[in-house]
Amino acid sequence: MKHLFIYTTLLLGSSIVFLSCDSTTSPKDIFEESPVIQSFNVSPQNVQFTSADDGVKDTTVIVTFSADTENLPEGVVPRIIITDRNSRQVELQQDMEITSTNGEFTLEVPFQTKTTFFQDFKVNAIVQNPETSHFNYATASLKITGFSEIKPEILEANNPETVQRPTSGTDVYRFTAKVTDEEGNDTIQGVFVRIFNRSSGEVNSSPFTLFDDGDNGADITAGDSVYTAAFPVNPESQLQTFDLYYYAVDKGGLVSDTLQTTFRITE
């Protein structure tokens, strides 16, 4: 999902639900001259869209960040850093604006979003004395919770149909599913496969998670919508036939149809 921070002010609809916020500040430095963030708030901290009240649309959420500070050297202001918790990508870095001579700062940021988006951000406010390197920070969260109207779709699923049990060592096989979601692939919560042994039923630890991070599950390319899991076959593996059912779940809780494949281990 691509989204932008924009710098215009729009009036929010009354159907957006604003919940209370809390923040966590780091301990005050023992040195009196060190800069300190005494309190840090994000408002609204939680934004909730619903299908009935909002419908599917682009919208703008105005979020206000406020901080109370002390011992800030002249010219030093808190900096806001907003990071997407899922991708760990820094979405915004911006200095706050002074609102009083008592060490109070605010920053108003418009978030361009969609009512079907799900966004979870970590927000840090940081102050640092450039001469002493003493710093202080505070952390809060910002969540935008949308809704789903269209379930994800498994376009295709692939795994070896028949493999031969090795006489030594371990062979690893990739099981993949190509997944899409019309509301944006970033709305996919997870992709899974249930595995049933035709002789004894569903295997232990099923369903298994497939990955699209270019790392886990022997996935090759991150973010290409091909989700992967890796399964080993060794000389102790039983000669069995398995039925596999691939499916996806989005962040709104909608579940795709399943795609079925077969996997056999032979002598």
Side-chain angles (χ1 to χ4, degrees), residues 248-264:
V249 181
D250 70 13
K251 293 178 180 178
L254 298 184
V255 182
S256 71
D257 293 333
T258 59
L259 277 184
Q260 180 182 356
T261 64
T262 301
F263 178 67
R264 296 183 179 89

Side-chain angles (χ1 to χ4, degrees), residues 2 22 26 44 47 71 102 127 136 167 170 181 184 203 205 213-214:
K2 301 294 184 182
D22 56 38
S26 60
V47 179
N71 300 331
N102 296 323
V127 290
N136 193 241
T167 57
T170 299
D181 193 312
V203 303
S205 301
D213 58 5

